[in-house]
Amino acid sequence: MSFIKLLAFSSVAATFSGAYAALTRRVACSDGVNTASDEACCSWFAVRDDLQENLFSSECGQEVRESLRLTFHDGIAFSPTLGGGGADGSIITFADTELTYAANGGSGGVEDIVDLMTPFVSKWNVTPGDLIYFAGAVGTSNCPGAPRLQFFTGRANPVAAAPDNLVSQPGDSVDTILARFADAGFSSDEVIALLASHSLAATDALTSGAIGDPFDSTPRVFDSQFFVETRLTNAVDGEVRLPSDGLLARDDRTSCTWQSFIDDQDGMRSAFAAVMTKLSLVNQPSDLIDCSEVIPEPPAAPSGSGAAPYFPGTSTLSDVDAACTATAFPTLTQNAAVTSLAPVNGD
Ligand code: HEM
């Protein structure tokens, strides 16, 4: 190789390694412990530890479920024609208004978590929008089988309360639900992916169920059991079924995606992670900073016997309601031990 060529090659290599170093260079955080891809991420390590210790007790419990739910009640509150700031945290700043809406306060059931989360806004000098999506991601990371959710920082303070009637309710028809989500930018497949969150759900304020009645037989594990049990004609003793979930599980527009998640838990996890990122960014600027590295890696789903999706108790294929004519209902084994469920709230 001539000297000129060698010089040219080494200067290209130097430029490349300089650019690579810039891409991978990390900031040493002032806590003396952590490094981060962007200085804006540094402050979130301490917020994470505080939430884990003082809100979630590092468990996949009630406050995690409520925090995950709050991401929906805040983020979906955006309409190109009716207004609302989307994922801006307005449900905290304008709690006096938004908690009077039927979907949120009273039998809506998100007021407790708004109350619990509000002090963290001033304690850490963060915006309520950032806090809601950060808490949702950190909390969900305590649940075995959950995907690691992304977190972006930099949302501004909300400027106004969202209008009423933007958060879907359990008595809504499929037409109404899909139209509401479409108005906020979500496809029918994305609605079903979002509802994987109900794998971790229980009642809080519903008058029809006891406080803490779970939506499926594995409310502390993020798995596809919710998609199985909502298709059954019967419910396990102690389980609550939302009318909206039952309808979406059977509707021609959504039942095949619903059913596909039963034996594709990895697909369910990645679809859920992707749509949760989208929910967290509704009506937000495109220059938010990716601080996903602060979110812990969730524990793996349990493995071994009883870990794959199953028919609970004595249920069989004959208890499955017909829906999704395009594909057969997956072949599942029976888990005879699952005959009744204890309420989970208070854990
Ligand atoms: C069609 C849309 C939806 C409807 C109608 C709906 C409705 C409900 C209702 C009625 C409850 C029980 C409330 C109570 O008893 O206090 C609930 C719980 C829950 N929802 Fe949804 N939801 C929807 C979508 C979502 C989405 C998109 C998410 C998250 C991304 C979500 C996450 C949760 C969670 C985690 C719980 C459990 C809360 C707890 O255990 O305290 N939901 N939902």
Side-chain angles (χ1 to χ4, degrees):
M1 195 183 283
S2 72
F3 178 70
I4 302 274
K5 272 191 185 154
L6 186 64
L7 196 65
F9 173 77
S10 52
S11 78
V12 168
T15 309
F16 175 75
S17 72
Y20 183 72
L23 279 175
T24 56
R25 193 175 299 131
R26 295 184 63 79
V27 178
C29 297
S30 60
D31 61 11
V33 179
N34 293 293
T35 63
S37 55
D38 191 297
E39 200 176 353
C41 302
C42 283
S43 55
W44 289 100
F45 288 102
V47 187
R48 176 193 68 191
D49 296 346
D50 191 19
L51 291 174
Q52 285 287 47
E53 190 178 339
N54 297 310
L55 184 62
F56 300 135
S57 307
S58 297
E59 289 173 355
C60 179
Q62 182 174 354
E63 287 73 27
V64 167
R65 293 190 289 272
E66 292 182 356
S67 297
L68 178 56
R69 188 172 182 221
L70 192 62
T71 64
F72 165 50
H73 287 241
D74 185 62
I76 201 66
F78 163 74
S79 162
T81 50
L82 302 171
D88 64 349
S90 63
I91 201 164
I92 286 183
T93 304
F94 298 98
D96 287 352
T97 303
E98 294 195 31
L99 292 183
T100 64
Y101 302 161
N104 295 333
S107 61
V110 293
E111 62 281 75
D112 290 352
I113 193 64
V114 167
D115 281 354
L116 289 172
M117 225 181 257
T118 299
F120 290 91
V121 173
S122 50
K123 178 173 182 186
W124 293 104
N125 193 24
V126 293
T127 61
D130 277 2
L131 183 69
I132 287 176
Y133 298 93
F134 185 69
V138 171
T140 303
S141 80
N142 293 338
C143 301
R148 188 182 186 200
L149 300 183
Q150 289 187 290
F151 167 64
F152 292 80
T153 188
R155 291 168 193 76
N157 276 312
V159 292
D164 197 1
N165 300 316
L166 296 182
V167 181
S168 298
Q169 299 208 56
D172 288 351
S173 68
V174 173
D175 281 355
T176 303
I177 290 170
L178 296 185
R180 173 73 279 275
F181 276 87
D183 184 45
F186 294 87
S187 69
S188 57
D189 280 353
E190 288 175 326
V191 174
I192 305 312
L194 278 170
L195 282 169
S197 57
H198 282 182
S199 163
L200 297 173
T203 59
D204 186 31
L206 277 181
T207 46
S208 59
I211 305 278
D213 281 352
F215 287 15
D216 75 2
S217 57
T218 55
R220 293 186 189 81
V221 179
F222 187 87
D223 61 10
S224 62
Q225 203 51 37
F226 164 76
F227 291 103
V228 176
E229 292 172 26
T230 42
R231 275 290 296 284
L232 299 176
T233 50
N234 48 5
V236 183
D237 191 24
E239 180 171 283
V240 153
R241 178 99 14 102
L242 296 185
S244 49
D245 287 339
L247 292 175
L248 287 159
R250 289 160 181 77
D251 190 274
D252 284 350
R253 290 161 285 183
T254 45
S255 59
C256 287
T257 304
W258 194 279
Q259 184 168 291
S260 74
F261 287 152
I262 293 174
D263 55 358
D264 183 13
Q265 302 210 56
D266 286 343
M268 175 191 74
R269 288 186 187 102
S270 55
F272 177 67
V275 76
M276 284 301 291
T277 299
K278 183 168 174 176
L279 180 68
S280 80
L281 298 175
V282 170
N283 198 38
Q284 297 307 302
S286 58
D287 61 351
L288 300 191
I289 297 163
D290 187 349
C291 293
S292 305
E293 64 200 293
V294 184
I295 307 301
E297 191 64 55
S303 57
S305 132
Y310 53 79
F311 285 126
T314 56
S315 300
T316 65
L317 189 58
S318 62
D319 298 307
V320 174
D321 255 344
C324 182
T325 48
T327 53
F329 195 83
T331 305
L332 305 178
T333 52
Q334 218 176 41
N335 188 338
V338 179
T339 52
S340 67
L341 307 176
V344 288
N345 277 3
D347 57 6

